[in-house]
Structure formats: C-alpha cells, structure tokens
Amino acid sequence: MSQQQCSPADIEIIRNLFLSAAEQMRRTLVRTAVNAVIYEVLDFGISIADRSKRMISEAAGITSFIGANDYAIGKVLEYMGSKQFNEGDIVMMNYPYWNSAHAADALLMAPVFIPGIEGPETYLCVRAHWLDIGAKDWGYVIDSTDMHQEGLILPPVKLVKKGIVDEEIMSIIRFNSRLPDLIIGDFNAMVSSIRTGERCVKEAYEKFGADLIHEALDTLVRHSENESREAVRKLPNGTWEAHDWLDDDGITDDMIRIAVKVTIDGDRFIADYSGSDPMAVGPVSLPVGSTITMAKTYFKYLTTPYSASNHGHYAPLEVIAPEGNLFHAVYPAATYVLWTKMVAFELIAHALSQAVESIPASSGADLPGFMSMGVQYQTGKQFIVSNNEGIGWGGTYRHDGANAVQQPSGSSSRNTSIEVLEHTSNVFHERLELITDSAGPGLHRGGLGVRRDVSFAADSEIISQGKKSKTLAWGLKGGGEPSRNEMVVWPGTEKEKRVGMYRTFMKKGESFANFSAGGGGWGHAYERTIEKILDDVKNEYISKNSARDDYGVIVEDDGSWSETVERLSRHARN
C-alpha cells in the first residue's frame, strides 16, 4: 500500500490502538497478580513488538524496563527461531545474560498470528518479578558468586504449547520455589495479560488490515527516529566523562568504580562504560541488556521525554560495554543485585552536566529499601515483602527537587503501602517522616529523604537494600551534597550498627531505622531567597542551624532574621 493511502489519522489511530493494547495488558496484570511486588510496586515491564522485533508500544511498570524486552526478544528468536512458534504458544525465559535482568525477573513472550499471514505478526512480552525461584537464600541474594546460586534458570522454553500449559515444566518451577502458590498465581496473571494483548492486537488487524498497519508502524518508527535525532543534534557536540562508586560487591568491602564516557557527534549519542571496573566476584555485575536499558531510559528522558516510546527513539544511541566489564556480565557471573543499575543510572547526567544546563543535580542515587522474610505470626504462612523507599531528587536550574519519590531509574513504580506490609508480614511501623536537613543546600535545594522506623511483632529476617551508603550524591553549580543512605539496625542498643546492603535476623520487639538520602542542591545556597529559607525552616525542611551554616541566614526564635557576614560579602561581590 502506498504512503499516500496511509493518512496521518490512520497512523495516529493505529499508534493509539497499540498503546491501548499495552495498557490493557498492564491493567490485567495489576488486577490479577498475587504478589504485592507486582500489583503494588509495579515491578514489571510490558511491551509489544512488530514482526521485525521492533518495539511498538509499552506500558509503564519499572521505568528502567523501558526497552528492556527488545534485547530479550532478539535472544529468544535467535535461540528458537520464529518458525518454531504456533498459535497459543508462550515462551518463558529467565537466563539473566539474555533477559536484560536478574533471574527473578521472569519473561513471558508470545507470538500473535493473523489469519492469512505466514509467521508471527507481533510479539507480546511481559516480564515481572517472581518472589522466589529457589535461589540459595530467600528474599534476595546479596552474596552469590555465580549464576547457579541464584535459583532455577530457564533458557527460552515453551511453557504454554498451542494454548495448553506444560504441566511437567510447571511442576519443575513449582518444586523449585519456596512460595509456589504465589509463583503460579503470578504466572497465571502474566498469561492473562498476554491473552488480553492478543485480543487487542487481533482486533486492530481485523479493523485496519495488515498492509495499512505495516505502513503506519513503519511511518511511526521513522518519525520517532527523526524526532530523536533532531533532539540529539540540539545538544552540544563533545565528549564528557563521569564516575561514581558502588559500595561493594557483597563479598569484600572494596568499593567498585562505575564510569561512563558520553560522546555526542551530530545525531549520534554514545555511552561508553569501558572505564568501569571488571566484573565483580559478588552479584553486582550487570547483564549487557540491562546496561543498554539503563542507557536507553536516560537517553529517552533527555531527548524525547513526552513521546510514547518505540523502537525509533533509540536509533541514535550506541552503548559500549566490553565483555567482562562490570556492565557486561558473562557466564557464570552472579548478577542478582541490580542496584548497580540504580546507582549508575545518573552517570550520563553527571557527565553531561558539564555542558547541558538543564541537567538536574543528583537524586539520592540509590533505592534504599528493605525486604523481610519469615512466618506471619497471625496466619502461620511464609511471607516475603519488600519496600522501595522514596528519596530526594536533585534541584534543577528552575526549581527545588521533589521530596520522597522513587529513584529516577524506577520513578514510575511505587513503594509498598504500610497496610500491605503490616497485613502480610511481621513488621510494625513506629515512624515515617521526611528527614530535616537531608537535602543538599542550594539556590534550588534538593528534595528530602525519608526516615522509616520499623519494629517486629515476631521473629523475622531482613535485608537492607542499597549500594550507595559510603559516598554522597552530587550537587551542581555550587550546590551542596545531600545526606547519605543508610540503615541503622538495633538502634539505641549495644548492638546498634549502621549498614548498607545487609542481611540479618530480627527478634520479636527488635527494630531498624532506614534513612534515605535527599537530592543534591543546584546553585550556591547563598543565592536562595530569604522567603524560601524562612519557609523551609517553618516547614522543618531545614533546621535553624542549616539556615545559618549553609544558607547564611540567622533565624531567631521570634521569627526575626539577619544575614551572616559571609552571605552579605558574597552578595556584595556579585
């Protein structure tokens, strides 16, 4: 069919039909999932690819899953070939080096066949976090040294054949999980999501026909590529570098260097992670698909943040991570702790901040949450719960950073509600509040971090989650650094201990306090207006000590104020 026969209206309608299909898949998954990590936290990724494996639409789950299924689809088809598929088939895979994630993120992929057309027309993908797949430890594996300690591993395998579940393979999965009912329930939810997507896609083909849809999707991808390349051309040409540090690999206490070199050349954008440390012994090395996804996510924010994502948007991006590098794990490297991706997410921003004014200061640069495992004292059932804590985002050249929001790499996900945590586990909340003085000072200060105090109604195991507790996030243009991420276990006792990522047991009545970092400040704090400083003191965002020491404003108990000599001197010079 010719280009003229596919009108702009056709393209827009077809584009939205595929977006709607992905969204309906998402809603089906959220409404039918069994574990809160899926229906509360939204730890999943959903996408639809066309017959050429190009991602056409996706639905929001974990932000850093944007484009993640692309790499996995390619590996599935490379391994199996498209001719092996039949109507009703669903393939599962969790082999981490192909899956763009760790082993607990199960991927289901299904072909969609259209009558009269040979071979699959589209591919539907749902990836979601399964709570237990038989790893050496339950909850989260923080000290594995090879893949085979991280649970049952499946290459691409047909788990559903011509619409019929392979019960023999399901039995293997069931017998390799400590929580088989939850795993099977979430599998069924993912299948329901896929069947919803199949129905939507087939309805689109019935309404518009394959020729018109092919033309519309080709045009859509070309337009998105042009849009993205134009955005890259507006950025300055050059090469910039940045590095940061991961706390450790879970085996030794040595910090690990993470680094990126960003090159912009016309309409090309290159993110090179070669300057990072080699693969670690512990489980912090990243599968390369996860690295590509991490770079894609920030690239999308930087270039076309308001356009629904598809394959064309990433055409200008090249990601370099040599095999054996921390960002390109190879068999049998352990990969379970994906916090490397979270801590490294803003490396591109840090590099480009040297040349692009709109780049914000760093967020709290981690996802400092917790997991708890045990036997629920009221029901006698085993449980695994988790919570991703909010952090402060960095100040920008226009405004302050946001308070207590999810880390940028997972900003479309959520924390777990107190109601769910307390109803399904042994935790009891004593305190949940913003942390005064946790934000990096600045003309535009960072957002505030969160303090969460939790005690236990019965014996339980916990994991403190986070990999940036030894170093601070960064401010920009003279802005200050924020507080640090950390957990204090057994606070106020002889056993009190400050930890990063850490696993331990809590007896009934024992507690921890979790502290998430604020965001970095943007611009010098002496440039902040008196009115905003007084408001921050009134709201207990900053203390009077911080107002004096960081911002140069002395606030008296009666509300009167004066400026310090240092602040007055700076203003006099300017």
Side-chain angles (χ1 to χ4, degrees):
M1 184 169 287
S2 68
Q3 179 74 27
Q4 289 73 24
Q5 290 176 286
C6 186
S7 71
D10 291 330
I11 296 169
E12 191 65 11
I13 291 170
I14 290 169
R15 180 181 76 90
N16 278 280
L17 281 174
F18 277 89
L19 289 172
S20 175
E23 178 60 26
Q24 290 184 60
M25 291 173 67
R26 176 186 184 274
R27 295 191 181 194
T28 299
L29 180 64
V30 169
R31 290 172 177 172
T32 58
V34 177
N35 95 73
V37 173
I38 297 177
Y39 67 75
E40 282 277 323
V41 177
L42 309 182
D43 191 345
F44 59 79
I46 291 172
S47 64
I48 301 175
D50 70 2
R51 57 181 179 165
S52 300
K53 301 178 292 187
R54 301 178 303 182
M55 190 267 288
I56 298 302
S57 65
E58 55 186 9
I62 292 285
T63 312
S64 59
F65 280 170
I66 286 178
N69 291 338
D70 300 13
Y71 188 85
I73 289 173
K75 287 298 183 181
V76 170
L77 294 178
E78 180 183 315
Y79 181 78
M80 300 184 69
S82 61
K83 293 182 179 180
Q84 287 195 32
F85 290 111
N86 297 296
E87 180 82 29
D89 287 352
I90 298 178
V91 171
M92 178 188 167
M93 175 180 70
N94 74 332
Y95 184 60
Y97 315 112
W98 295 353
N99 196 33
S100 307
H102 62 183
D105 288 334
L107 176 85
L108 297 190
M109 188 192 91
V112 178
F113 290 86
I114 302 301
I117 300 176
E118 184 179 356
E121 266 294 290
T122 62
Y123 299 96
L124 309 177
C125 283
V126 181
R127 74 168 66 238
H129 184 86
W130 287 3
L131 283 179
D132 188 272
I133 55 168
K136 75 181 188 71
D137 304 311
W138 67 335
Y140 218 81
V141 184
I142 66 173
D143 60 356
S144 51
T145 55
D146 72 65
M147 180 192 75
H148 297 289
Q149 298 171 353
E150 299 178 342
L152 177 69
I153 302 296
L154 290 178
V157 60
K158 287 186 184 181
L159 203 47
V160 181
K161 300 174 182 177
K162 298 182 180 180
I164 306 298
V165 175
D166 188 320
E167 293 297 343
E168 291 185 349
I169 299 178
M170 289 303 298
S171 294
I172 294 172
I173 295 172
R174 184 181 295 109
F175 275 78
N176 276 276
S177 176
R178 298 173 179 88
L179 300 169
D181 291 345
L182 292 183
I183 296 300
I184 301 305
D186 290 334
F187 164 76
N188 290 332
M190 294 167 74
V191 171
S192 296
S193 173
I194 283 173
R195 297 309 183 207
T196 297
E198 285 178 339
R199 184 178 67 251
C200 293
V201 169
K202 288 183 177 182
E203 288 174 355
Y205 273 82
E206 289 173 4
K207 185 171 184 178
F208 286 96
D211 289 341
L212 193 63
I213 287 178
H214 293 166
E215 185 62 47
L217 296 182
D218 287 345
T219 304
L220 171 64
V221 171
R222 284 196 302 270
H223 171 77
S224 299
E225 178 177 344
N226 292 338
E227 179 186 29
S228 186
R229 291 193 184 280
E230 180 61 27
V232 175
R233 281 192 286 268
K234 291 179 180 179
L235 296 171
N237 285 339
T239 297
W240 305 271
E241 299 184 37
H243 73 275
D244 205 339
W245 299 92
L246 203 65
D247 279 353
D248 54 55
D249 70 348
I251 305 300
T252 75
D253 290 331
D254 297 337
M255 291 198 296
I256 299 172
R257 175 185 164 90
I258 53 178
V260 72
K261 179 168 68 175
V262 177
T263 298
I264 300 175
D265 181 10
D267 63 0
R268 297 174 64 231
F269 189 106
I270 303 169
D272 185 352
Y273 295 91
S274 301
S276 303
D277 277 348
M279 287 192 315
V281 175
V284 296
S285 302
L286 277 187
V288 69
S290 186
T291 300
I292 294 170
T293 296
M294 174 181 68
K296 278 183 174 181
T297 308
Y298 202 89
F299 176 79
K300 185 70 170 63
Y301 154 76
L302 188 67
T303 54
T304 55
Y306 304 112
S307 300
S309 180
N310 68 61
H311 176 84
H313 287 116
Y314 307 106
L317 175 65
E318 179 184 352
V319 179
I320 300 172
E323 286 191 3
N325 180 277
L326 185 72
F327 290 93
H328 191 154
V330 295
Y331 177 85
T335 62
Y336 207 94
V337 177
L338 292 176
W339 262 252
T340 305
K341 176 174 64 176
M342 299 160 196
V343 177
F345 180 74
E346 292 170 277
L347 277 177
I348 290 176
H350 201 180
L352 288 179
S353 67
Q354 302 167 63
V356 180
E357 185 183 36
S358 61
I359 297 291
S362 175
S363 73
D366 202 351
L367 194 66
F370 73 92
M371 295 191 79
S372 183
M373 300 75 68
V375 177
Q376 215 278 340
Y377 72 103
Q378 292 175 312
T379 65
K381 294 182 178 180
Q382 287 186 318
F383 69 83
I384 298 175
V385 296
S386 68
N387 179 66
N388 298 331
E389 199 61 83
I391 57 174
W393 279 23
T396 80
Y397 73 110
R398 289 182 174 175
H399 56 75
D400 294 341
N403 299 330
V405 289
Q406 292 292 296
Q407 206 256 3
S409 70
S411 57
S412 57
S413 61
R414 306 185 295 209
N415 62 359
T416 306
S417 67
I418 290 177
E419 293 81 359
V420 168
L421 289 171
E422 294 188 348
H423 179 69
T424 58
S425 72
N426 297 330
V427 305
F428 181 79
H429 284 75
E430 308 281 354
R431 176 189 295 187
L432 183 63
E433 63 186 25
L434 296 175
I435 304 172
T436 302
D437 292 339
S438 58
L443 166 64
H444 298 139
R445 60 164 174 76
L448 274 64
V450 176
R451 175 174 180 171
R452 183 185 296 257
D453 290 9
V454 172
S455 63
F456 287 83
D459 294 357
S460 304
E461 193 172 0
I462 67 161
I463 302 172
S464 167
Q465 295 180 303
K467 279 295 184 182
K468 191 172 176 60
S469 63
K470 295 179 180 178
T471 57
L472 299 176
W474 40 273
L476 280 179
K477 311 294 183 183
E481 297 173 330
S483 61
R484 71 175 69 244
N485 301 287
E486 63 179 358
M487 179 181 282
V488 180
V489 289
W490 309 294
T493 72
E494 293 181 354
K495 295 196 300 180
E496 179 176 303
K497 185 175 184 178
R498 297 176 181 272
V499 299
M501 188 164 282
Y502 184 73
R503 179 188 290 266
T504 191
F505 288 91
M506 288 280 164
K507 295 181 179 179
K508 180 180 179 179
E510 292 185 330
S511 64
F512 68 77
N514 194 51
F515 299 84
S516 69
W522 194 99
H524 199 286
Y526 284 178
E527 302 303 318
R528 190 167 179 83
T529 65
I530 298 293
E531 180 183 11
K532 288 183 177 180
I533 295 168
L534 295 178
D535 283 345
D536 283 348
V537 172
K538 180 179 179 181
N539 291 322
E540 299 183 7
Y541 286 177
I542 65 173
S543 65
K544 290 180 181 179
N545 287 342
S546 176
R548 180 192 65 231
D549 298 340
D550 297 321
Y551 293 91
V553 176
I554 301 169
V555 182
E556 305 293 349
D557 290 341
D558 63 2
S560 62
W561 57 271
S562 60
E563 297 179 85
T564 63
V565 172
E566 292 82 4
R567 180 181 172 102
L568 290 171
S569 297
R570 178 180 175 87
H571 286 179
R573 291 195 303 271
N574 295 339

